[in-house]
Structure formats: structure tokens, C-alpha cells
Amino acid sequence: RMTDAAIVIENAETFWNVVDDFLQKETEHPGADIPADIDFQGWPNLHINVKGEKFHSSLTSSMVYGLASMHESFQRAYALAKYGTSNLQRLTNEDKQSLDVIFKIKEGSTDSETDWSGTINQFLAFLTGAFEGMTGVQKMTILLALITALTVGGCYYLYTNSQDHAADLNAQTQTTQTVVDGMTRSFELGREVKRRGETSLSREIEAHGEDGKSSLLKSVASDAESVKIGNQQYDGAALQDYRNRQSVDRERTERFDNFYIKGLSRSGISSSELNLSVIRVSNGESFTIKVAEDIARPVELQALASAIVTGEVVRISYLEVTENGHVARGQFNLIIPNDPPAQAEPAVR
């Protein structure tokens, strides 16, 4: 047991430090239990923002349906974590109250900021006593899976201050840097927790978070201009992808082209794949190129990240997937270095 002073977790950084300390302790003393005195305050939280003409001070009926589905996914994730079953009958009234997602409706956008700290504390009080026969690292994996599900992966990001809009603009640069630095650490720690303690139960809890995110995105994809959920931004191309999930006529072609890089983010809520938002220089077409972390070299990730800030053009070799004649997405191969500037050389000396 650690000291009697509670460990207060107010942000992602503190949380990942606690995870890091626990993993080190567990290496030295296999079977070590999770700290009994963690107190979450104001973190983790889920920020959702939907922008678009139809969201001027109202919710579309489709979004109401999507939110209800997302909320049900959260309830199932919680029921699984707390009672080992996704049967919603098991939830008490107190459980249900702690899982409410409250929406504020502003001019031109629908915004929600949900603080899950009370929910997680309530769950922790239960977790420390109720999970007889589970190792400390398995408990930590369940805790991480629940936080991942309720924040739809936002817990992996260190800069999540959505309240402060000046910081939000600055966060573009920061988040990019975090993709390459700080975030990498949180994903490495998350992977290590799972490597040691993952169970089918923890995987299922996380899957409910992924389902919840998809329900919401599908429900607003045809009306929204942009959606921010779990610290990831979905606009034009990414929303088009959700609209097209049922689509048919698909073609794949190896190509290379010049792109402006608009953003770099995780593709799944805890996946090691990245989404690269690009704009084709020649025609302004925007879409997402998936980047598998084991394919891209660190120097390439760094180059893509810095191109967001500098606005420089990057030449990329990729696999292009078109659906019904429109580019749906791409799969990254490599950056083609542009060493000699592409200028016509004189034919004769």
C-alpha cells in the first residue's frame, strides 16, 4: 500500500505517471495491487462538439438517436467493468445517474463536456474490494479500458483543455508534437498495461467505447461540418467515410502525389494506427491516409508532423482506395524525398 495521502489525478499526465509508477512496482513485485487511494478530480472527461447549420441551437433527431446509442455503449462498458456483464439490468440507479452525458446547445454548435471523475471514483471504490482473484495489473487494465471507453480514447492525449479556445488553436501545434512525443509515451504505457493484464473482458469494455463513437459519428455524418469527440477532429473526408460505410464499388490503386498535411491523429481509440488528413495540391481534394506506425519511420512521422505547422508540401507514395468514384481513403507507404528540385535540366552541355 502506498502512503495515506491520496494520489489526486487532475489530468492525463498525472494519470500516466501513476500508470508508469504502477508498472515499475509490478515489475519489482509481480502481483502488486493497484494503489488503493487514487482520487480523480475533474479528469477524465469527454468533450464532444458538433458544428453545422442544422445544429444551430438544436439537435437533429438522428443525433438524438446517435447519442442514445452512444450512451447505451457507455452503460454497457460500465456494467461490464463493474459487474462483469453487459446486461443493463445490473446497473443501479446510482450507476445510471453517474453515467449521464449532458449537452449544452450553443449558436451554431452542440457542445458537451462530461466530467467522469465521480463515475470513476465510484467504480474504483468497488474495484478495490470486489475483484477477488484478479491480479493488480488486470484491475489496472480494466480501469484503463473503462477510462478509454468513456473518453473514447481522449485519455491518451495530454492536451485536452477544450474550454480555452486560444489554447485550442495552439493545441494544433501542441497536439501534433504530442503525437510524436508525449502521446507516444501514453500509448506505450497503455500497450504495456494490456500486454501484462489484458483479458477478453477488458477488450470488450474498450470495444463498447469504439461502438459509441461510431454511433455518434454515423448519426451526424450527413448533417455536420465537423465533429470533435475524444480529442479527435472529424471533418469533410473523415465524416464522408462514415457516410460511406455501406458503400459498394471499390477500387485500389498504388499512387504518389503532392500533399499539404492538415492533421495527424490516432485512428482508433487506442490503436497504433494514425490518420493523416491531407489535401491534394493539384485539385484541393481532401481525404485521410492511414499510417501504420510500424510502416512509417520515426523521421517520416516527424516530417509529417512538422509539415502541419510549416505548410510545406510533402510527396507521398500511398495506396488509394476509391468508392463509387470518390477517394475514400489511402494507406501510407513512404515519403518520396524531393532531393533534386523537379526542374527540367538542359539537354546538352
Side-chain angles (χ1 to χ4, degrees):
R1 183 174 161 78
M2 302 185 78
T3 59
D4 284 337
I7 306 165
V8 175
I9 297 180
E10 294 178 306
N11 55 38
E13 204 160 352
T14 320
F15 172 70
W16 290 108
N17 288 341
V18 168
V19 171
D20 202 353
D21 292 346
F22 169 74
L23 285 171
Q24 288 178 33
K25 190 173 116 184
E26 212 267 341
T27 306
E28 291 160 26
H29 312 283
D33 207 353
I34 58 172
D37 41 15
I38 308 176
D39 180 22
F40 287 85
Q41 293 181 12
W43 190 93
N45 38 41
L46 172 66
H47 178 235
I48 300 173
N49 179 273
V50 184
K51 286 190 175 63
E53 228 164 82
K54 290 207 178 165
F55 301 96
H56 276 275
S57 318
S58 66
L59 290 171
T60 62
S61 55
S62 166
M63 182 176 176
V64 170
Y65 179 77
L67 283 171
S69 289
M70 183 183 74
H71 186 235
E72 186 182 307
S73 295
F74 289 164
Q75 289 188 320
R76 288 191 193 285
Y78 190 82
L80 267 171
K82 192 163 174 179
Y83 304 111
T85 169
S86 58
N87 184 339
L88 300 181
Q89 303 300 313
R90 285 300 302 271
L91 296 176
T92 64
N93 282 336
E94 195 185 2
D95 288 335
K96 287 178 187 160
Q97 279 167 354
S98 81
L99 288 161
D100 278 342
V101 179
I102 311 289
F103 266 81
K104 296 182 287 301
I105 300 183
K106 299 181 193 162
E107 196 55 41
S109 83
T110 304
D111 202 76
S112 160
E113 184 80 46
T114 306
D115 175 355
W116 293 123
S117 55
T119 315
I120 299 293
N121 285 334
Q122 195 176 316
F123 167 72
L124 265 180
F126 188 86
L127 177 71
T128 35
F131 280 69
E132 293 311 319
M134 216 183 243
T135 66
V137 77
Q138 284 173 333
K139 291 181 192 175
M140 182 60 89
T141 313
I142 297 278
L143 175 63
L144 175 59
L146 181 61
I147 291 176
T148 303
L150 293 179
T151 61
V152 295
C155 60
Y156 282 92
Y157 294 76
L158 303 189
Y159 303 101
T160 54
N161 184 0
S162 53
Q163 307 296 24
D164 180 347
H165 286 288
D168 226 19
L169 295 173
N170 188 29
Q172 172 78 24
T173 320
Q174 280 186 325
T175 305
T176 306
Q177 217 25 63
T178 314
V179 167
V180 184
D181 309 334
M183 238 174 85
T184 312
R185 172 181 178 245
S186 59
F187 278 91
E188 278 165 7
L189 289 168
R191 267 201 293 272
E192 182 56 23
V193 169
K194 287 193 246 187
R195 191 185 69 72
R196 296 189 200 179
E198 190 172 56
T199 53
S200 57
L201 184 67
S202 66
R203 276 196 295 274
E204 204 182 326
I205 293 167
E206 226 176 75
H208 281 297
E210 198 73 72
D211 290 347
K213 181 183 83 170
S214 296
S215 300
L216 181 72
L217 285 170
K218 280 180 192 162
S219 75
V220 298
S222 34
D223 300 314
E225 285 155 32
S226 75
V227 181
K228 186 177 177 189
I229 178 169
N231 231 51
Q232 298 216 46
Q233 189 80 25
Y234 297 85
D235 33 36
L239 289 172
Q240 184 66 40
D241 195 21
Y242 276 89
R243 284 197 283 276
N244 286 349
R245 289 282 159 111
Q246 286 72 32
S247 113
V248 278
D249 194 17
R250 190 172 284 130
E251 286 177 40
R252 304 159 77 88
T253 341
E254 289 288 347
R255 300 192 53 165
F256 54 87
D257 211 336
N258 294 339
F259 294 100
Y260 297 114
I261 311 297
K262 282 319 220 193
L264 187 60
S265 63
R266 293 278 155 184
S267 71
I269 59 180
S270 69
S271 108
S272 60
E273 191 177 55
L274 297 166
N275 278 345
L276 188 65
S277 309
V278 300
I279 295 181
R280 198 190 303 279
V281 174
S282 59
N283 63 1
E285 187 173 27
S286 69
F287 59 97
T288 301
I289 295 181
K290 303 266 181 206
V291 183
E293 259 183 330
D294 47 359
I295 300 276
R297 308 198 312 281
V299 55
E300 289 181 307
L301 288 178
Q302 196 66 56
L304 294 169
S306 68
I308 298 174
V309 183
T310 63
E312 68 199 271
V313 171
V314 183
R315 191 166 182 76
I316 297 174
S317 152
Y318 67 106
L319 177 74
E320 186 169 280
V321 181
T322 55
E323 291 177 352
N324 302 336
H326 298 286
V327 179
R329 68 193 82 80
Q331 190 76 46
F332 177 89
N333 291 332
L334 72 156
I335 292 178
I336 302 171
N338 190 9
D339 297 335
Q343 282 162 357
E345 310 231 328
V348 283
R349 273 268 171 254

